[in-house]
Amino acid sequence: MKKVGVALLGLGTVGGGTYQILTSMKEKIKQTEGVDIDVLYIIDRNKDRAKKFGLDPKMISEDFDAVLKDDRVSIIAEFFGGIEPARTYLLKALKAGKSIVTANKEMFSKHWHELELAAVEGNAGLYFEATSAGGVPIIRALTESMQGNEILSIQGIVNGTTNYILTKMADEGRDYLSVLKEAQDLGYAEADPTADVDGYDSMYKLSILSSLCFKKRVPIDVIYREGISSIEKIDIEYGSRFGYTLKLLAIGKMNNGKIEARVHPSFISNDNPLASVKGSFNAVLINGTNVGDVMLYGRGAGDLPTGSAIVSDIVFCAQQTKHKVMRFGRVNVEEDFEDDFECEYYVRMNVVDKPGVLAKIAATFGKYEVSINSVEQIAAKGAADIVFMIHKTQESAISKAIKEIKSLDIVNKVNSLIRVL
Amino acid sequence: MKKVGVALLGLGTVGGGTYQILTSMKEKIKQTEGVDIDVLYIIDRNKDRAKKFGLDPKMISEDFDAVLKDDRVSIIAEFFGGIEPARTYLLKALKAGKSIVTANKEMFSKHWHELELAAVEGNAGLYFEATSAGGVPIIRALTESMQGNEILSIQGIVNGTTNYILTKMADEGRDYLSVLKEAQDLGYAEADPTADVDGYDSMYKLSILSSLCFKKRVPIDVIYREGISSIEKIDIEYGSRFGYTLKLLAIGKMNNGKIEARVHPSFISNDNPLASVKGSFNAVLINGTNVGDVMLYGRGAGDLPTGSAIVSDIVFCAQQTKHKVMRFGRVNVEEDFEDDFECEYYVRMNVVDKPGVLAKIAATFGKYEVSINSVEQIAAKGAADIVFMIHKTQESAISKAIKEIKSLDIVNKVNSLIRVL
């Protein structure tokens, strides 16, 4: 029976969930997986956390050097979050020949290349299932099930907070701020919700997932990012009338050898399997050249779902004699990425209610070769809301068209521009 | 670079798809996976199949002994279908130390134990992703991503033919036979559709999947099997009024240490993620103690989706130094399985339209402690359709109640009994 010594860096939510699972599943894992896992060290500044798990506070220390020197430790699982000291500790671990398992999406997306070099140097493994979509086994599927495919696209609902908020806004017809407040009270959103609602969390995850999909590093710098804080309930309602659901999507595509990577609110057809992903659930839909569409769905966060991903990586890692190395080529930011992507659009504006207004706006769209699919005018007193559905066009074209439209005196306000998948 | 010699047994639909992918992806797989795969033998009685792939017909032979003797062949992929000669060839392959990759659900579900023993004897691997739900990577997820969980239940739409038929019946309000005929004309159903529409295909897949879930062999003998050939469009319509979608489900549950395994038409709530799985797509929803619900969705059949699963297994197998052995315990058919399972039910019957009829039927249900949730009566001329929704009760109880109800002179016919998930 292979004995596997593990160190846990952090005993917060995910570290605690991991510790719980390793303890409750120890015998079962020995039986079914043939590995005997022991938690030899827990590194955390807060010894009080031990009490929650019935541990002797002496089990918790701050001595990372002891972990590095101990040959019994072959795997280090990291739950500190943030860039430092996680990055420094993990680089040392890898160079010392110890494999790492992490949930740290920000650190991993920013320092993957460096970590990879250290892993090769130390002949150790990098495992990161828990960085993207919690318990949903998307990373393992991408690395161990898609070998017979080129991946053409990935679309993901990878942030539970924003999906919870958008689901509630739609189901209950409520506005963003009121649902955000409720989400914060219930623990679905942080006191400072920026990382989630402004799309940073989804961006880090897309960087990791799209790199795996396209076998090229997709740094966060090339990812267009737009969050949900400007979403108004009226747009969700109008979209619904047209058969659309609003989601914050992380989208990666390979188009003629160039990679597109973007995070933004998107209307998706109610027929799209992603449309039925509700509340804080996550889902990732990939399209492979031979397998076609494959979607994975599950809980994207929480101590036990994320702990499940960490434990899966620990066991998988323990069973490898040779760890995979991601052979990503060097990227050329100018040549390898497409930022002038194509999309369909939903545009809502408020205009003066008099003859000739629609014609003038349509002409302005036409000037930039932006083609209108449909128009709906919802009259009000002296002003009108107009909703345009725009045919597939380029970002640059619609940006210019909207800029000019905003300057027209007949246009009171361009309220919303939402991309349609 | 590791050179991997492969033999393909069969060059039909799946064999052909596999050959296509191995050819088109050869260089890419060398680059990203570090394995150099060569198809050294193709065994098929029909040399004409070579033409379709631009192959020299001399590449195709019937000499399996040559494959066994050739040390360059480390993996044999089987697409013959049927029990023999697949079983005999694969046992010989395993004992000769060659790993096997198969799509053959019937043979694998019936002979898994024997194949496992041969694999251990030959120190070879058994890979069978393609037996269950085509390109959907459910087997890999169950073996490589769920190590931190006990699996409590599995619910799957694992047969594309029946899901295609039920989706069309619902979307177009048509009857079973007319949709079956259309499915046959379009190639979604076989000329003899029995294996699909009578639930055999789903049963073999459930045997394999539930064994993996519960870490105990679930032989086909203990699986309750009921297909879709008695489904009437009126039941789909009534179910829809109550917010239900009808699917042919493969269900496995672990209940107080006993395993329940059944395949039958089931009404599922429109909120269930499985409800949005349409046409010939498959999906498997598992529930793990720590991760909660995880669902995988994708194409369940076809040359390239299934070929994608085979190629994934070939590559994965080639990278293992030690192949996993499923450590399933011996099963006791009496003690380990529950056949008197509990369910909610939908019952439709046609009765004489006169006073006291409902009371008599309700009393009969009550006699067997079968509790009614709701009743809806749809009157017709002199007779009435009554639809009962029944609270969770045991199979044995409702069987007895229905038997007695059928014998009542006020009951013309008990048309349908459909389980509700």
Side-chain angles (χ1 to χ4, degrees):
Chain A
M1 175 74 50
K2 182 171 184 181
K3 268 196 158 303
V4 177
V6 169
L8 306 182
L9 307 189
L11 198 64
T13 304
V14 181
T18 300
Y19 180 78
Q20 249 181 277
I21 297 173
L22 287 175
T23 308
S24 64
M25 295 283 298
K26 182 179 167 74
E27 287 312 308
K28 190 89 191 186
I29 290 171
K30 275 173 74 171
Q31 228 177 64
T32 56
E33 303 291 333
V35 286
D36 184 7
I37 300 170
D38 278 312
V39 175
L40 299 176
Y41 297 87
I42 301 174
I43 306 291
D44 200 306
R45 276 181 295 200
N46 182 356
K47 292 189 195 299
D48 285 342
R49 285 177 157 169
K51 296 181 198 159
K52 189 175 171 194
F53 302 98
L55 279 166
D56 183 341
K58 277 187 242 151
M59 261 298 282
I60 302 191
S61 93
E62 291 186 59
D63 187 358
F64 185 64
D65 281 333
V67 172
L68 284 178
K69 286 182 201 146
D70 194 332
D71 286 338
R72 297 172 305 155
V73 174
S74 53
I75 300 175
I76 293 174
E78 181 263 318
F79 319 105
F80 284 159
I83 308 292
E84 293 293 354
R87 174 190 156 271
T88 296
Y89 281 18
L90 295 184
L91 286 171
K92 287 185 177 178
L94 290 164
K95 289 172 186 173
K98 299 186 195 302
S99 295
I100 67 151
V101 174
T102 183
N104 195 331
K105 57 197 77 64
E106 185 184 352
M107 185 277 304
F108 194 80
S109 64
K110 290 178 175 173
H111 298 282
W112 192 349
H113 185 63
E114 206 183 357
L115 291 164
E116 192 77 58
L117 292 172
V120 171
E121 185 186 320
N123 212 25
L126 282 188
Y127 296 89
F128 45 97
E129 180 73 72
T131 57
S132 310
V136 183
I138 181 63
I139 305 255
R140 189 85 72 238
L142 284 171
T143 58
E144 308 300 336
S145 290
M146 295 293 123
Q147 305 94 323
N149 293 271
E150 308 259 14
I151 306 293
L152 298 173
S153 69
I154 177 167
Q155 302 160 22
I157 296 168
V158 292
N159 180 271
T161 299
T162 45
N163 202 54
Y164 176 87
I165 291 171
L166 292 173
T167 305
K168 236 183 203 296
M169 285 178 73
D171 288 351
E172 299 177 20
R174 288 165 58 191
D175 68 79
Y176 170 72
L177 285 173
S178 110
V179 174
L180 171 61
K181 170 99 185 37
E182 183 178 313
Q184 286 166 317
D185 292 341
L186 291 170
Y188 284 106
E190 308 276 347
D192 176 2
T194 318
D196 294 317
V197 303
D198 281 354
Y200 289 97
D201 180 78
S202 301
M203 177 188 70
Y204 298 132
K205 292 166 179 174
L206 182 62
S207 169
I208 296 167
L209 290 171
S210 56
S211 300
L212 277 182
C213 284
F214 308 125
K215 309 275 198 272
K216 261 186 179 163
R217 279 278 289 125
V218 180
I220 55 176
D221 321 57
V222 305
I223 296 176
Y224 172 79
R225 177 191 53 79
E226 183 190 321
I228 66 166
S229 46
S230 308
I231 296 296
E232 297 183 51
K233 67 179 177 182
I234 191 80
D235 293 313
I236 294 182
E237 202 195 299
Y238 287 158
S240 174
R241 291 193 211 177
F242 300 141
Y244 290 117
T245 302
L246 187 68
K247 296 295 186 193
L248 180 71
L249 284 194
I251 298 168
K253 287 189 187 182
M254 178 64 91
N255 250 339
N256 296 321
K258 286 198 169 197
I259 296 169
E260 240 179 73
R262 44 195 169 98
V263 171
H264 53 70
S266 308
F267 276 127
I268 61 177
S269 158
N270 292 337
D271 289 334
N272 185 320
L274 289 172
S276 52
V277 178
K278 290 183 176 281
S280 61
F281 276 87
N282 283 189
V284 181
L285 174 64
I286 55 183
N287 183 274
T289 44
N290 295 306
V291 73
D293 277 353
V294 174
M295 188 175 87
L296 280 77
Y297 159 102
R299 293 188 177 285
D303 57 349
L304 295 177
T306 316
S308 163
I310 295 279
V311 171
S312 172
D313 269 354
I314 289 173
V315 175
F316 187 85
C317 170
Q319 292 168 334
Q320 304 311 299
T321 41
K322 192 174 175 232
H323 303 286
K324 272 195 178 175
V325 176
M326 299 296 151
R327 303 160 208 269
F328 294 158
R330 290 189 80 88
V331 284
N332 182 318
V333 173
E334 267 68 48
E335 293 179 7
D336 296 338
F337 300 99
E338 179 60 77
D339 56 4
D340 191 15
F341 46 88
E342 278 193 339
C343 242
E344 291 175 43
Y345 295 84
Y346 158 107
V347 188
R348 175 171 63 89
M349 56 185 78
N350 187 269
V351 305
V352 172
D353 190 11
K354 69 182 197 192
V357 167
L358 194 53
K360 191 124 180 53
I361 295 169
T364 313
F365 274 130
K367 178 174 163 186
Y368 295 97
E369 292 187 33
V370 173
S371 171
I372 299 167
N373 188 2
S374 68
V375 187
E376 192 159 317
Q377 184 158 321
I378 299 109
K381 303 169 199 170
D385 264 356
I386 312 187
V387 172
F388 293 88
M389 299 299 293
I390 304 291
H391 275 305
K392 206 178 234 195
T393 190
Q394 262 157 308
E395 275 287 300
S396 54
I398 198 147
S399 293
K400 290 175 192 153
I402 294 295
K403 189 175 178 188
E404 188 167 319
I405 284 166
K406 278 179 172 172
S407 70
L408 298 174
D409 53 8
I410 44 155
V411 172
N412 296 327
K413 188 175 181 190
V414 174
N415 302 81
S416 311
L417 174 70
I418 299 177
R419 296 170 185 84
V420 180
L421 196 74
Chain B
M1 173 76 47
K2 181 170 185 181
K3 268 198 157 302
V4 178
V6 169
L8 306 182
L9 307 188
L11 198 64
T13 304
V14 181
T18 300
Y19 180 78
Q20 248 180 277
I21 298 173
L22 288 174
T23 308
S24 63
M25 295 282 300
K26 182 179 166 71
E27 288 311 309
K28 190 90 191 186
I29 291 171
K30 274 172 76 173
Q31 228 178 64
T32 56
E33 302 291 333
V35 287
D36 184 7
I37 300 170
D38 278 312
V39 175
L40 300 176
Y41 295 88
I42 301 174
I43 305 292
D44 199 304
R45 276 180 296 200
N46 182 353
K47 293 187 193 300
D48 285 343
R49 285 176 156 169
K51 295 179 199 161
K52 190 177 171 194
F53 302 97
L55 277 167
D56 184 342
K58 277 185 242 149
M59 260 299 283
I60 301 191
S61 92
E62 291 186 58
D63 188 358
F64 186 65
D65 281 334
V67 172
L68 284 177
K69 287 181 198 143
D70 195 332
D71 285 341
R72 297 172 304 156
V73 174
S74 53
I75 300 175
I76 293 175
E78 181 263 318
F79 319 105
F80 284 159
I83 307 293
E84 293 293 354
R87 172 189 158 273
T88 295
Y89 281 18
L90 296 183
L91 286 170
K92 287 184 175 177
L94 290 163
K95 289 171 186 174
K98 299 183 193 307
S99 294
I100 68 150
V101 174
T102 183
N104 195 332
K105 59 198 73 68
E106 184 185 353
M107 185 276 306
F108 194 80
S109 64
K110 289 177 176 174
H111 297 282
W112 191 350
H113 184 63
E114 206 182 358
L115 292 163
E116 192 77 60
L117 291 173
V120 171
E121 186 186 321
N123 211 26
L126 281 189
Y127 296 89
F128 45 97
E129 180 73 75
T131 57
S132 310
V136 184
I138 181 63
I139 305 257
R140 188 87 69 238
L142 283 170
T143 58
E144 309 299 339
S145 292
M146 295 294 122
Q147 304 94 323
N149 294 271
E150 307 258 15
I151 306 294
L152 297 174
S153 69
I154 177 166
Q155 302 160 21
I157 295 167
V158 292
N159 179 271
T161 300
T162 45
N163 201 54
Y164 176 88
I165 291 172
L166 291 174
T167 305
K168 238 187 202 295
M169 285 178 73
D171 288 352
E172 299 177 18
R174 288 164 60 191
D175 68 81
Y176 170 71
L177 284 173
S178 111
V179 176
L180 171 62
K181 169 98 185 41
E182 183 178 314
Q184 286 167 318
D185 293 340
L186 292 170
Y188 284 107
E190 308 275 348
D192 176 2
T194 319
D196 294 318
V197 302
D198 280 355
Y200 289 96
D201 180 76
S202 301
M203 176 189 70
Y204 298 132
K205 291 167 179 174
L206 182 63
S207 169
I208 296 167
L209 291 170
S210 56
S211 300
L212 277 182
C213 285
F214 308 125
K215 309 275 197 274
K216 260 187 179 161
R217 280 277 288 125
V218 180
I220 55 176
D221 320 57
V222 304
I223 296 176
Y224 172 78
R225 177 191 53 78
E226 182 189 321
I228 66 165
S229 45
S230 308
I231 295 297
E232 297 182 52
K233 68 179 177 182
I234 191 81
D235 293 313
I236 293 182
E237 202 197 296
Y238 286 160
S240 173
R241 291 192 210 178
F242 300 143
Y244 290 117
T245 302
L246 188 68
K247 296 295 187 192
L248 181 70
L249 283 195
I251 298 168
K253 286 188 187 182
M254 177 63 91
N255 249 341
N256 296 322
K258 285 197 169 198
I259 295 168
E260 240 179 75
R262 42 196 169 97
V263 171
H264 53 70
S266 306
F267 276 127
I268 62 176
S269 157
N270 291 338
D271 290 336
N272 185 321
L274 289 172
S276 52
V277 177
K278 290 181 175 284
S280 61
F281 276 87
N282 284 190
V284 181
L285 175 64
I286 53 182
N287 183 274
T289 44
N290 294 307
V291 73
D293 278 351
V294 173
M295 186 175 86
L296 279 76
Y297 159 103
R299 294 189 175 283
D303 56 349
L304 295 176
T306 316
S308 163
I310 294 281
V311 170
S312 171
D313 269 353
I314 289 173
V315 176
F316 187 86
C317 170
Q319 292 168 333
Q320 304 311 300
T321 40
K322 188 172 178 238
H323 302 287
K324 272 195 180 175
V325 177
M326 300 294 150
R327 301 160 208 270
F328 296 157
R330 289 189 80 87
V331 284
N332 181 319
V333 173
E334 268 67 49
E335 293 180 5
D336 295 339
F337 300 99
E338 180 59 76
D339 56 4
D340 191 17
F341 45 88
E342 279 192 337
C343 242
E344 292 176 42
Y345 295 85
Y346 158 107
V347 189
R348 175 171 62 90
M349 55 185 79
N350 187 269
V351 304
V352 171
D353 190 11
K354 69 180 195 192
V357 165
L358 193 52
K360 192 123 179 54
I361 295 169
T364 313
F365 274 130
K367 178 173 164 188
Y368 294 96
E369 291 186 34
V370 173
S371 171
I372 298 166
N373 188 0
S374 68
V375 188
E376 193 160 316
Q377 186 158 319
I378 299 111
K381 301 170 201 171
D385 264 358
I386 311 187
V387 171
F388 293 88
M389 298 300 293
I390 304 291
H391 275 304
K392 205 177 231 193
T393 191
Q394 262 158 307
E395 275 287 302
S396 53
I398 199 148
S399 294
K400 289 175 195 153
I402 295 294
K403 188 173 176 187
E404 190 168 313
I405 285 167
K406 278 179 172 172
S407 70
L408 299 173
D409 52 8
I410 45 155
V411 172
N412 296 329
K413 188 174 182 191
V414 175
N415 303 81
S416 312
L417 174 70
I418 300 177
R419 295 170 185 82
V420 180
L421 195 75

